Amino acid sequence: MQAMLYADKVVLRNLTLADWDDFLSLHLDTSVQQYIRPVESEDNIKAIFAQRIEPWAFEAGEWLSLVIERLDTHEFVGLIGFRCDDLLLKRAEVGYLIAPSQQGMGFATESLRAVIDWGSLQYNMHKFFGICASENIASQRVLEKVGFILEGTLRQHSCINGTWFDDCYLGLLTSQRL
C-alpha cells in the first residue's frame, strides 16, 4: 500500500529505509515514550522498523506507519498510523509519535484528521479508537480536537518504568466525525 496524504501544513508518506535515523531517535526519546512504553533496545527498535517498512495490508492487524513531514520544509515531524483491531467490526486503533521540537504546533491534529478521513474512505471504517495515559493530556487533547470522545478509563492498566498509569480509551464513530 502506497500512501501520500496532503493536509494544510503536512504531508504523510510511507516509511522507507531512509527514515531509520528519525525512527530510531523518536523511539529512543524518553520524553516521547514516557506514557507509551519503556524505551526499548536498538535491536528491538530495528525489528519494529523492519516490520513497519514491509508491504502493509489492513487485514493483517499490523501498524501502518506513515511519516509526517512539514509541507514547507520537508522536516521530519513524527509518525502516525493505525492498525486493524477487528476486521468484521471495521474498527481500528490510531497512534502517533511527534518529535519534541515539533510538538504543540497542530501537526498531530492535522495528521490525525487526514488519516481518519483516508482510512474511513479506503476501508469503510465504522470506528477508530485511541488509547493514552490519563497523564498524557496533550495526546488526549489531539484526539478530542478530531472528535474522539472519552469512552472509559482503565485504572492502573499500564506500567511504564515502574509507574502505573490509567489508560483512557477514546473513540470516534466515523458517522460522527468532524
Side-chain angles (χ1 to χ4, degrees):
M1 192 280 324
Q2 290 293 338
M4 187 73 89
L5 307 175
Y6 291 89
D8 290 340
K9 299 183 291 187
V10 295
V11 61
L12 311 178
R13 62 166 178 79
N14 289 92
L15 188 66
T16 68
L17 284 173
D19 297 309
W20 165 246
D21 289 339
D22 290 323
F23 188 92
L24 178 64
S25 176
L26 206 55
H27 283 80
L28 289 176
D29 191 312
T30 55
S31 69
V32 172
Q33 298 294 328
Q34 69 179 333
Y35 298 121
I36 300 168
R37 69 182 64 84
V39 171
E40 299 187 77
S41 70
E42 189 169 331
D43 286 341
N44 285 352
I45 297 169
K46 276 182 190 173
I48 294 167
F49 182 76
Q51 182 274 315
R52 302 272 171 94
I53 61 171
E54 290 294 316
W56 180 79
F58 176 72
E59 60 277 358
E62 298 292 342
W63 280 95
L64 167 66
S65 288
L66 299 173
V67 172
I68 307 167
E69 289 182 347
R70 291 178 67 130
L71 197 54
D72 56 353
T73 63
H74 302 288
E75 186 178 359
F76 178 83
V77 171
L79 301 167
I80 192 163
F82 62 87
R83 67 171 192 85
C84 176
D85 175 65
D86 191 303
L87 189 59
L88 293 175
L89 298 178
K90 299 286 189 180
R91 186 174 62 215
E93 179 182 4
V94 297
Y96 39 86
L97 299 172
I98 307 297
S101 65
Q102 304 296 322
Q103 293 175 3
M105 296 184 223
F107 297 131
T109 302
E110 187 174 313
S111 299
L112 184 57
R113 278 193 182 109
V115 164
I116 295 292
D117 288 346
W118 177 79
S120 296
L121 295 172
Q122 188 73 24
Y123 299 102
N124 192 29
M125 298 303 302
H126 171 70
K127 181 179 185 174
F128 289 92
F129 70 93
I131 305 166
C132 64
S134 60
E135 290 82 357
N136 193 348
I137 304 301
S139 186
Q140 188 168 343
R141 186 101 172 87
V142 166
L143 292 161
E144 289 170 345
K145 282 190 232 175
V146 176
F148 285 70
I149 60 169
L150 181 64
E151 295 185 344
T153 301
L154 299 179
R155 297 179 313 134
Q156 295 190 12
H157 193 249
S158 298
C159 186
I160 303 168
N161 297 324
T163 301
W164 286 97
F165 292 98
D166 294 349
D167 283 342
C168 296
Y169 279 68
L170 292 94
L172 173 70
L173 300 176
T174 57
S175 62
Q176 298 175 336
R177 73 184 194 271
L178 301 175

